[in-house]
Amino acid sequence: MNTFWIILTGCLVAIPCSLLGSYLVLRKMVMIGDAISHAVLPGIILSFMITPSFDSPLVILGAGVMGVLTTFLIEFFSQKGKLPEDASIGVTFTWLFSIGLILSSAFTSKTDIDLDCILFGEILNIPLQLWITESGVNLGPSPVWFLGFVNLIIVSFIILAYKELFITTFDKAFAIAIGISAGLWHYLLMGMVSFVTVASFESVGAVLVISFLVTPASTAYLLTHDLKKMLLLSVLFGIASAVGGYYLSNYLDSSTSAGMVTMGGILFAIVFVISKKLKTA
Amino acid sequence: MVTQVENPILEVHDLTVSYQSKPVLWNVDFSLPSGSLTGIIGPNGAGKSTLIKSIMGLTEKNSGYIKLFDKPLSKVRKKVSYVPQRESVDWNFPTSVFDIVLMGRYGHLGLFKRPKQADKEFALECLRDVGMEEFKDRQISQLSGGQQQRVFLARALAQNADIYFMDEPFVGVDAATEAAIIELLKKMRNQGKTVIVVHHDLQSVKKYFDWVILINMRLIASGPTETTFTKDTLQEAYGGKLTLLSQISDLLSKEDIPTRQG
């Protein structure tokens, strides 16, 4: 049963990450995703100090605010300060991340935050956090329910806002000209990325979540020239990395999240070689 | 020399735009008559693209205002079409020709609403108008420069607007496409649409446009091509670029002889 819950958790992390990651790849904003996944740390720690639970609305709100703030600061430095965007990203997220580290070392004595767990996740603990109702019914691990809810939100967002995300990603100027606010959709997308990051860090960690955002989407990008197919394929590759990675890490007796990320990399390498072969053939 | 018109379809009033505190457009003030095919002409860096970007609300203005159909842009977006420079988008984006053209209908759809069958049929018709119907399922990464421009034009047609702004539609396209595009633009003008084109090839100005706006940061001249596109105004717009000036006088003296590019 534990195996089932762990693999399900992995898939529930992989699905929304792959979907949002596809748009990050196409917008050439993968590094902003990386920045957000690090910069939510101070938000998580601060909220955790107030309510010591990882799936409380406050933690999500704290991380969401940090994510949008990160996006805003990156834009602000690169547009108002005329700093190259990559430099702006580097300055912003390392700074916010280090504030998170200071906060955590200053306050972890007072709370039960495990920094390792925040950075690298511990998916094996998920099946232990059972949600048992007052009448004593076991509903399974609560993080799975929470991730399920996140999936519902992200999948509906991607389906409902397909037109808006497509046009603002492909041709920002044209979108603005016909009255679709490119800025609003940019911040909405980045807000969703923060939301998914914070929902995922407990199982895969704030550092490795970037791999779930970028690798399945990049693998899918190599294989198709159709946005809808790319979104579907990225989800398939995400799920394949989660499932394959679990067994890989079991076999190697290593960290589960690292196994999933490694599996994603292996799939990418295989697809890369095949797609090169297909193009030259 | 600026010819102001009555009941203009476009009115640009005292427009100043700067980038990093350097002015790009300075006190530009002109108006355009409805139903004209207008060329915005000027040397590189004269602010031609900036001018139409400001009209489309894509660049911040320092001062001045812009009115279309005597209203601000936000009130008349559905009647206004914009064709950005071809290089401004990623042509490796995973999508098909038809999906790009369908984008032209998005301005007519509400938030979260999908294009209907009628939108799809109209988009297909627009693709036919630019001679690209058989390319509808083609991936955009497989198109030539000329075909990319035709797709952008079809997307603009799908907007079914009354006024069209096009940023350098003739750059990097083959002669056949250029001829096809200008033919289409003239047809649109004859149907009563207003078309404004950023253009930098002086050779073809007289052949293509019936109205000309000459700029070089400041507005040099605006009016009917016959009276506005003259040696004096060109000299003013292109300044001390001597080699170019000799080419211009050369061009003007031979203006009735068809050029090789034609």
Side-chain angles (χ1 to χ4, degrees):
Chain A
M1 199 58 192
N2 279 0
T3 303
F4 169 76
W5 288 121
I6 291 166
I7 289 179
L8 182 63
T9 305
C11 292
L12 290 176
V13 168
I15 293 166
C17 282
S18 310
L19 288 171
L20 295 175
S22 295
Y23 282 103
L24 291 180
V25 168
L26 292 173
R27 285 168 175 250
K28 303 175 176 61
M29 283 177 182
V30 164
M31 294 326 284
I32 296 186
D34 188 21
I36 289 175
S37 65
H38 285 76
V40 293
L41 185 65
I44 293 171
I45 307 261
L46 281 175
S47 327
F48 197 82
M49 278 155 47
I50 302 167
T51 324
S53 157
F54 277 136
D55 40 11
S56 83
L58 195 69
V59 177
I60 295 158
L61 191 75
V65 168
M66 288 312 294
V68 172
L69 180 71
T70 311
T71 317
F72 172 78
L73 284 177
I74 291 169
E75 297 249 312
F76 182 77
F77 292 140
S78 68
Q79 285 184 3
K80 301 286 171 198
K82 307 293 170 202
L83 199 64
E85 193 171 47
D86 51 352
S88 170
I89 291 171
V91 169
T92 309
F93 91 84
T94 49
W95 181 64
L96 288 170
F97 187 63
S98 59
I99 290 178
L101 292 179
I102 289 175
L103 283 175
S104 77
S105 50
F107 297 107
T108 35
S109 51
K110 292 171 197 156
T111 59
D112 59 344
I113 293 178
D114 176 2
L115 198 59
D116 261 14
C117 180
I118 291 178
L119 296 184
F120 305 111
E122 195 38 273
I123 203 167
L124 298 178
N125 288 343
I126 299 288
L128 306 177
Q129 303 173 42
L130 292 175
W131 181 15
I132 295 165
T133 59
E134 280 171 29
S135 53
V137 182
N138 183 354
L139 292 171
S142 59
V144 171
W145 284 95
F146 175 54
L147 277 169
F149 170 70
V150 170
N151 272 264
L152 192 71
I153 300 223
I154 302 294
V155 172
S156 339
F157 174 69
I158 295 283
I159 292 174
L160 273 177
Y162 177 80
K163 173 175 107 245
E164 284 77 11
L165 287 172
F166 174 43
I167 193 168
T168 53
T169 305
F170 175 70
D171 193 343
K172 206 168 123 187
F174 185 77
I176 297 170
I178 65 168
I180 295 177
S181 168
L184 172 74
W185 289 99
H186 174 71
Y187 282 106
L188 265 178
L189 185 68
M190 294 309 158
M192 294 288 176
V193 170
S194 331
F195 179 46
V196 163
T197 303
V198 69
S200 312
F201 78 89
E202 196 181 0
S203 38
V204 297
V207 175
L208 288 180
V209 69
I210 181 64
S211 165
F212 282 85
L213 284 168
V214 57
T215 312
S218 304
T219 314
Y221 181 84
L222 292 175
L223 279 181
T224 178
H225 288 291
D226 181 324
L227 178 57
K228 285 178 187 160
K229 282 186 195 146
M230 179 175 162
L231 290 167
L232 277 175
L233 279 173
S234 73
V235 166
L236 287 180
F237 283 120
I239 291 175
S241 337
V243 179
Y246 173 78
Y247 289 103
L248 180 73
S249 65
N250 247 6
Y251 177 70
L252 297 174
D253 195 18
S254 68
S255 144
T256 313
S257 54
M260 290 177 174
V261 171
T262 306
M263 196 60 194
I266 293 172
L267 288 172
F268 175 83
I270 294 170
V271 168
F272 184 81
V273 172
I274 292 173
S275 71
K276 282 279 164 220
K277 281 254 153 65
L278 283 177
K279 265 170 206 159
T280 48
Chain B
M1 208 196 69
V2 178
T3 310
Q4 299 284 2
V5 296
E6 276 180 39
N7 299 323
I9 192 165
L10 166 69
E11 185 190 355
V12 174
H13 183 76
D14 281 348
L15 176 70
T16 296
V17 177
S18 60
Y19 181 67
Q20 285 186 287
S21 72
K22 276 190 202 132
V24 183
L25 291 172
W26 188 260
N27 233 2
V28 171
D29 194 299
F30 65 90
S31 50
L32 275 189
S34 170
S36 58
L37 176 47
T38 300
I40 301 178
I41 320 286
N44 283 338
K48 304 187 291 288
S49 293
T50 307
L51 176 59
I52 66 169
K53 280 184 187 148
S54 326
I55 295 170
M56 295 312 301
L58 299 171
T59 322
E60 251 175 70
K61 301 190 280 285
N62 292 97
S63 67
Y65 65 80
I66 289 151
K67 278 182 171 179
L68 292 139
F69 308 93
D70 206 31
K71 292 195 178 85
L73 173 69
S74 55
K75 297 262 191 287
V76 289
R77 279 191 199 279
K78 283 183 189 166
K79 292 160 91 175
V80 184
S81 168
Y82 170 58
V83 182
Q85 279 182 25
R86 197 162 49 81
E87 301 82 45
S88 68
V89 302
D90 172 15
W91 289 95
N92 283 318
F93 196 94
T95 190
S96 71
V97 164
F98 184 69
D99 283 340
I100 298 297
V101 179
L102 204 50
M103 237 179 227
R105 301 303 302 158
Y106 283 13
H108 297 261
L109 306 170
L111 181 71
F112 301 147
K113 293 263 163 47
R114 293 293 163 91
K116 294 182 210 43
Q117 193 56 33
D119 294 309
K120 291 181 181 170
E121 276 160 24
F122 189 68
L124 201 59
E125 212 173 287
C126 298
L127 209 45
R128 201 174 299 140
D129 286 344
V130 299
M132 289 279 292
E133 200 189 358
E134 65 268 39
F135 290 87
K136 91 178 168 64
D137 296 320
R138 191 67 69 88
Q139 302 308 323
I140 60 167
S141 56
Q142 298 167 348
L143 301 176
S144 70
Q147 290 167 335
Q148 290 173 353
Q149 196 61 57
R150 284 172 193 236
V151 170
F152 259 19
L153 198 60
R155 181 177 71 173
L157 292 177
Q159 288 183 270
N160 198 19
D162 292 320
I163 183 165
Y164 291 79
F165 294 93
M166 306 190 177
D167 203 344
E168 301 268 21
F170 300 121
V171 164
V173 306
D174 51 289
T177 299
E178 176 154 352
I181 292 177
I182 196 67
E183 207 50 51
L184 193 67
L185 299 188
K186 284 180 174 170
K187 199 173 117 194
M188 286 158 69
R189 190 241 345 248
N190 296 341
Q191 287 166 352
K193 313 262 186 192
T194 308
V195 183
I196 295 115
V197 178
V198 170
H199 191 61
H200 71 238
D201 175 29
L202 295 172
Q203 307 255 355
S204 47
V205 171
K206 289 214 163 188
K207 249 188 320 169
Y208 289 179
F209 305 112
D210 49 38
W211 198 276
V212 163
I213 295 166
L214 264 167
I215 58 168
N216 190 354
M217 192 173 84
R218 286 174 302 110
L219 181 71
I220 307 294
S222 164
T225 312
E226 282 300 306
T227 53
T228 309
F229 192 70
T230 62
K231 191 175 176 178
D232 289 346
T233 56
L234 279 172
Q235 207 148 18
E236 207 184 326
Y238 286 82
K241 293 172 186 167
L242 287 171
T243 50
L244 198 62
L245 276 179
S246 66
Q247 280 174 22
I248 292 167
S249 55
D250 204 32
L251 173 72
L252 287 165
S253 62
K254 287 192 238 160
E255 63 196 20
D256 294 326
I257 302 165
T259 55
R260 270 169 297 159
Q261 282 194 334

